Amino acid sequence: MNWIIVREEELNAEKIVSLRDKRHQHIKSILKKNPGDSLQVVIPNLGNFFFRIIEIHESYSTLEKEKSLQTELEPLPIHCFFSLPRPQTTKKILHLAGAYGIQSLSFFATETKNKEYWTSPVYTKEWIDWIETGMSQTGNNRTPKIIFGQNQNWKPYLESWQGEVIVLDRMGDLDSKTMVQSIGSEKQSLFVFGPESGWKPDDLDFFSKRNYLLYTLGRINLRTEFAFSSLLYLLFKN
């Protein structure tokens, strides 16, 4: 990790924090820092900072907040919807979302067979850890909002979206260059990623009746995490 994540509630009144978990081990064994050294720290949804190491012991490190840093990364003003992926795929999605600082991720089971994935620890308790691995890599300080639609129907959720809905499909009518040019933060764009097997005909009919935009990232079937990273690359480099 290039940045240490410190949550605001971990700081005491003197802006000092003691770390006893993997963050301490990283500072001690990987970064090989010493008392008096500075560290780059992300406080989620607050900013980027320098912290000074007060002391390092065998089981804990104590840090003191020193000064603010210029924001490291401008977050991407987009929202993304996913047909509930396999947990291992979701780990990669959460990491990328944390790295790029997108506004929100929504997960819905668009196919009955996917519902078994909800029982995974990735969805029940580990999701914030995977987001923070991305934040610690890039210095992004915005935590994406996560929506788990376990007890909701996905089509009404899309219908209720107050903004632009962009469905991604390899047979989409519009190419990625046109898509990038059309994106604006004021549109509250929601990018919809379907199952890796592709959208069913009745799903495509549902999109068509609601005039949702249908874009393609290419004419080959991509795994969900690769499609997501392709989209992030296209938008971020612009």
Side-chain angles (χ1 to χ4, degrees):
M1 62 183 76
N2 300 317
W3 296 77
I4 302 297
I5 304 291
V6 173
R7 301 178 186 90
E8 188 174 12
E9 60 269 22
E10 293 181 300
L11 297 169
N12 65 18
E14 288 73 39
K15 305 301 181 185
I16 292 174
V17 61
S18 289
L19 304 178
R20 298 175 179 273
D21 53 16
K22 62 183 179 181
R23 294 171 292 178
H24 159 65
Q25 293 299 329
H26 188 79
I27 292 167
K28 180 175 180 291
S29 303
I30 305 300
L31 298 179
K32 300 186 183 300
K33 293 289 187 177
N34 298 303
D37 290 344
S38 291
L39 287 171
Q40 295 181 126
V41 169
V42 169
I43 301 181
N45 304 312
L46 193 62
N48 300 79
F49 301 88
F50 268 135
F51 275 50
R52 181 176 63 86
I53 300 174
I54 299 175
E55 54 186 350
I56 298 181
H57 294 277
E58 187 63 32
S59 60
Y60 70 92
S61 300
T62 303
L63 316 178
E64 180 181 24
K65 183 180 176 184
E66 281 196 315
K67 63 179 181 180
S68 299
L69 293 172
Q70 183 177 354
T71 299
E72 181 71 13
L73 181 144
E74 188 67 29
L76 281 175
I78 63 168
H79 306 262
C80 291
F81 170 106
F82 291 91
S83 175
L84 193 66
R86 292 180 293 272
Q88 290 301 316
T89 297
T90 299
K91 290 179 182 180
K92 300 167 188 175
I93 291 170
L94 293 168
H95 175 91
L96 286 168
Y100 282 87
I102 71 171
Q103 290 188 320
S104 75
L105 293 178
S106 305
F107 296 93
F108 284 77
T110 65
E111 298 183 320
T112 303
K113 65 180 182 180
N114 291 7
K115 291 183 178 179
E116 65 187 60
Y117 298 153
W118 285 125
T119 60
S120 168
V122 173
Y123 292 112
T124 59
K125 60 183 179 180
E126 295 177 356
W127 58 271
I128 188 62
D129 294 330
W130 289 102
I131 287 174
E132 289 185 351
T133 64
M135 297 173 73
S136 67
Q137 180 178 348
T138 65
N140 161 56
N141 63 67
R142 181 170 72 188
T143 304
K145 180 181 179 181
I146 306 298
I147 300 163
F148 294 128
Q150 187 169 0
N151 299 310
Q152 295 176 257
N153 187 293
W154 65 281
K155 289 182 178 178
Y157 176 80
L158 292 188
E159 289 177 306
S160 69
W161 185 258
Q162 299 298 307
E164 188 174 52
V165 177
I166 299 170
V167 179
L168 299 171
D169 183 79
R170 70 185 183 91
M171 300 309 293
D173 297 323
L174 300 169
D175 62 23
S176 57
K177 183 177 180 181
T178 306
M179 174 180 64
V180 170
Q181 292 171 345
S182 70
I183 300 306
S185 58
E186 73 283 353
K187 295 182 179 180
Q188 289 295 298
S189 301
L190 176 66
F191 291 89
V192 181
F193 293 81
E196 290 182 354
S197 58
W199 294 108
K200 293 181 171 60
D202 61 327
D203 295 334
L204 293 171
D205 185 57
F206 168 79
F207 301 145
S208 177
K209 287 180 178 178
R210 285 150 188 82
N211 296 315
Y212 294 158
L213 299 174
L214 198 65
Y215 283 93
T216 179
L217 293 171
R219 296 303 183 188
I220 60 173
N221 268 342
L222 292 172
R223 293 189 58 142
T224 302
E225 67 267 34
F226 298 145
F228 184 43
S229 61
S230 296
L231 174 69
L232 294 176
Y233 170 75
L234 286 169
L235 297 180
F236 192 75
K237 74 187 185 75
N238 287 276

